[in-house]
Amino acid sequence: PAQSLPGALWRMYSLRDAVHRDATAVSRAFAKGLEDDYRSHVLAGVPDPPSAWEVVATADSILAGVYEGEVDIALERFAAFARVVALGLRAEYAAGDIAPSHEVRREGVNRMLSIPERVRRLGQIAEDLEAVALLWRHHGGLEGF
């Protein structure tokens, strides 16, 4: 389930994988999104302006926090990260500011049409990660979870 520790960890690894696969697009979306939600930008801890390398390093760093005993903080940081990227994707979509694709035009159009669903999913992931962070704190960590 999304609002469980295994579900949250899976989502964090999935987000990290997405960042590694297309760091340039993620950094571009993050840069656009931080204009709309500066609080989440600060919480996520990505430098301003973010480079592709910096978003990868930040995603890795956030995930490492899970293994350093800061599970709730890592969950909230990845939630903030996802929220800023979602805002950036929404802004790119609204402005028609999607980077040209090296693929055929049809694939580029399909990618453009998939953005609203990606934005919705990222927003839902952010909410789920925040909910698990709250549960983690409420139950006193792993022992009470």
Side-chain angles (χ1 to χ4, degrees), residues 48-62:
D48 180 14
S51 71
W53 179 86
E54 289 167 331
V55 295
V56 168
T58 300
D60 290 345
S61 168
I62 292 171

Side-chain angles (χ1 to χ4, degrees), residues 16-63:
R16 180 180 162 265
D17 182 55
V19 170
H20 277 261
R21 278 186 280 121
D22 200 354
T24 302
V26 172
S27 66
R28 187 176 51 249
F30 195 95
K32 281 214 177 278
L34 67 87
E35 299 168 7
D36 292 328
D37 190 350
Y38 192 74
R39 180 195 159 279
S40 290
H41 159 65
V42 171
L43 182 58
V46 179
D48 180 14
S51 71
W53 179 86
E54 289 167 331
V55 295
V56 168
T58 300
D60 290 345
S61 168
I62 292 171
L63 196 55

Side-chain angles (χ1 to χ4, degrees), residues 2 6-27 29-30 44 46 52 54-63 66 73-87 89 117-130:
L9 291 172
W10 183 88
R11 281 157 181 76
M12 290 174 72
Y13 274 99
S14 177
L15 284 171
R16 180 180 162 265
D17 182 55
V19 170
H20 277 261
R21 278 186 280 121
D22 200 354
T24 302
V26 172
S27 66
F30 195 95
V46 179
E54 289 167 331
V55 295
V56 168
T58 300
D60 290 345
S61 168
I62 292 171
L63 196 55
V66 170
I73 294 169
L75 290 165
E76 286 183 337
R77 284 186 67 199
F78 242 136
F81 184 92
R83 184 167 284 112
V84 173
V85 172
L87 288 168
L89 284 172
E117 176 59 20
R118 290 171 47 203
V119 168
R120 187 199 65 72
R121 279 195 324 252
L122 280 171
Q124 185 61 54
I125 287 171
E127 290 176 20
D128 292 337
L129 293 176
E130 288 169 338

Side-chain angles (χ1 to χ4, degrees), residues 32 88-98 112:
K32 281 214 177 278
L89 284 172
R90 182 180 296 141
E92 287 180 345
Y93 180 76
D97 190 20
I98 304 300
M112 179 84 157

